[in-house]
Amino acid sequence: MAVAYGSAASFAAFKSGLRCNASVSYPPVRISVRPGKTAGLGAVRCSVGSDDLAKAELRASSVSALELLKTSAADRYTKERSSIIVMGLNFHTAPVEVREKLAIPEANWPQAIVELCALNHIEEAAVLSTCNRMEIYVVALSQHRGVKEVTEWMSKTSGVSVSEICQHRFTLYNEDATRHLFEVSSGLDSLVLGEGQILAQVRQVVKTGQGVPGFDRKISGLFKHAITVGKRVRTETNISAGSVSVSSAAVELALLKLAESSYATVRPLVIGAGKMGKLVIKHLAAKGSTKIVVVNRSEERVAAIRKELKDVEVIYKPLSEMLACTAEADVVFTSTASENPLFLKEHVEALPPVSQEIGGLRLFIDISVPRNVGPCVSDLETLRVYNVDDLKEVVAANKEDRLRKAMEAQGIIAEELKQFKSWKDSLETVPTIKKLRAYAERIRASELDKCLSKMGDGISKKQKAALYDLSMGIVNKLLHGPIQHLRCDESENRTLNETLENMHALNRIFDLETDTSLLEEKIRAKVKQSQP
């Protein structure tokens, strides 16, 4: 008989599940799989010989083949604890031409959270998509199935094949996922080590997620704690002192490629006046530029920047004049949220050449993801195109000092990891605490009612209140010890395993457990919701 199963290891686990008690002889269980089906619960059939079954009932009447199957590897994923997982791509793992395909605009983050949490094994979710990374954080009811579902969702929404995503994707679980986000918010995982803009982007994840179904307790708690870590690292290590951002690195890169030592005689054009564009303008001014043309959808943001830079002539131009402005510029910085390229080969091949005094080549510095300058533009010999991946040349110059500060930051992150883990682990016992309180409250209310009925109608309100207070005081004092032993934090010399053992013991003693695991209930509810 052939048995189709996920892997040799999983089948071995299935068999070991059938041998869960060496002191009891169980009937031989024959496992078969219907043709064309994988070995899920619906595909597995058990048949037991009647003679053997009769013997087994005499020896172990409380154990049935179905119960054994439910605790086997075929159903093992429902016994997992939920996991925090991060998966995605960043500048370490994927080039910009891949990242831009999977980038999710900030306006679409709430919808992405809703869609992710509609997946069968995803309970909570968040999206962090910037010019250097596209990362999805989830609380998954099953690690393997959760990663598979999210990867397929990424493929479906981006049009990138699953195989290509897997070539560049990284995946981290639980403590490693938490550490990664803490390093991201601290600027330790940035292209520009210690840059401050990423912390603002992590804050934006929390702001955008507020009120969105699926941005719930664990994920929101994770991101809020990451903000705290980012602030603490910058305060205690001074890692951001004198640091450059992506925008300032772009300005420095252009200067390295020009034949000039400052922007005093260079004609810069900035397309986009958002956060990145504003920083580009400020750094241009700091490098000697006295006249900057800014192309933007509206003049409002440009006017606000103009007020801040009173010694610099900031000229606003609408998008309709973008090509005309480009023809008069030596260096073009692009930083818009456009999902389609603003410049293609046919747009720029007829542009007039720039002065030989500054090198004779027009520079396009594109710090947008998706890119604002199409890859085909690089084929032209009259210009040079640089994107965010080209900023490494500038970043390497001031990295040594920040690496030393990064080592200090890791110590802070290690401390904060312990605190977050204690908080997250404490959530595991919350259902038991609630059930125990509800159990005690039912007994208290029932016994108080019996007492009051025996005492008759002659009892005063004051006496009733005294009896009520007495019953509440007894219950609270009795529950105080057990509940304290269900808490896992820095103030107690108690490990997580001890706390979980206490939780399981209380569940058994007071019969607080249900027949079906909490994860199984959640998974079944999600599957039911997804059915038409």
Side-chain angles (χ1 to χ4, degrees), residues 14 32 46 67 91 102 122 221 262 265 343 501 505 524:
F14 179 87
S32 62
C46 296
E67 288 169 336
F91 69 96
L102 289 112
I122 303 303
S262 79
T265 59
F343 293 98
E501 284 176 9
R524 286 181 176 175

Side-chain angles (χ1 to χ4, degrees), residues 130-143:
T130 73
C131 61
N132 282 325
R133 67 188 71 248
M134 199 296 287
E135 299 176 354
I136 294 175
Y137 294 78
V138 298
V139 173
L141 301 175
S142 165
Q143 286 188 0

Side-chain angles (χ1 to χ4, degrees), residues 194-452:
E195 59 104 354
Q197 191 171 5
I198 187 62
L199 182 57
Q201 291 163 334
V202 172
R203 281 198 189 98
Q204 196 61 30
V205 173
V206 175
K207 183 179 178 181
T208 305
Q210 294 300 322
V212 177
F215 190 77
D216 293 328
R217 190 169 187 179
K218 286 184 180 178
I219 285 292
S220 66
L222 171 64
F223 272 81
K224 288 174 181 176
H225 204 115
I227 293 169
T228 300
V229 175
K231 289 179 180 176
R232 187 181 166 196
V233 165
R234 285 171 174 80
T235 300
E236 296 184 22
T237 68
N238 207 23
I239 195 171
S240 296
S243 70
V244 293
S245 63
V246 169
S247 299
S248 64
V251 173
E252 291 284 356
L253 177 64
L255 203 56
L256 286 174
K257 304 302 178 182
L258 291 168
E260 298 289 316
S261 59
S262 79
Y263 280 93
T265 59
V266 176
R267 300 174 297 172
L269 169 64
V270 180
I271 300 175
K275 293 176 183 176
M276 301 277 278
K278 181 179 179 180
L279 287 172
V280 168
I281 295 167
K282 286 186 172 182
H283 287 295
L284 283 170
K287 291 293 180 178
S289 183
T290 56
K291 181 180 178 180
I292 305 169
V293 178
V294 182
V295 171
N296 199 50
R297 285 194 182 91
S298 64
E299 190 176 3
E300 185 179 354
R301 288 183 175 178
V302 180
I305 296 171
R306 189 184 295 125
K307 289 180 181 179
E308 292 184 38
L309 302 175
K310 296 179 180 179
D311 297 330
V312 179
E313 185 181 0
V314 179
I315 302 170
Y316 163 74
K317 294 291 182 180
L319 278 173
S320 58
E321 298 183 30
M322 182 180 69
L323 287 179
C325 293
T326 303
E328 298 176 359
D330 301 318
V331 183
V332 181
F333 297 90
T334 62
S335 61
T336 79
S338 174
E339 295 184 29
N340 300 309
L342 300 179
F343 293 98
L344 296 175
K345 192 174 182 178
E346 57 267 28
H347 297 148
V348 296
E349 58 186 352
L351 292 176
V354 299
S355 170
Q356 290 295 328
E357 293 180 2
I358 61 167
L361 295 173
R362 180 174 280 105
L363 303 183
F364 284 82
I365 313 294
D366 185 3
I367 56 175
S368 304
V369 177
R371 288 173 291 180
N372 290 164
V373 182
C376 56
V377 176
S378 299
D379 297 337
L380 298 174
E381 296 181 358
T382 57
L383 53 84
R384 293 289 181 270
V385 179
Y386 301 94
N387 58 51
V388 287
D389 286 354
D390 296 312
L391 301 181
K392 295 174 183 177
E393 181 180 345
V394 176
V395 173
N398 67 342
K399 203 168 184 177
E400 186 176 341
D401 182 50
R402 284 187 187 77
L403 285 174
R404 180 180 54 78
K405 294 175 180 176
M407 294 297 291
E408 299 174 21
Q410 287 294 350
I412 296 172
I413 288 174
E415 292 176 16
E416 295 290 345
L417 272 172
K418 290 181 181 178
Q419 291 187 22
F420 178 78
K421 187 175 185 299
S422 295
W423 174 81
K424 184 172 75 71
D425 290 341
S426 70
L427 299 181
E428 298 289 333
T429 62
V430 169
T432 296
I433 292 173
K434 288 182 177 178
K435 289 177 186 177
L436 182 59
R437 284 194 177 278
Y439 174 80
E441 173 58 23
R442 287 195 299 272
I443 295 174
R444 184 202 66 78
S446 174
E447 295 303 314
L448 180 61
D449 287 343
K450 289 178 185 178
C451 176
L452 292 174

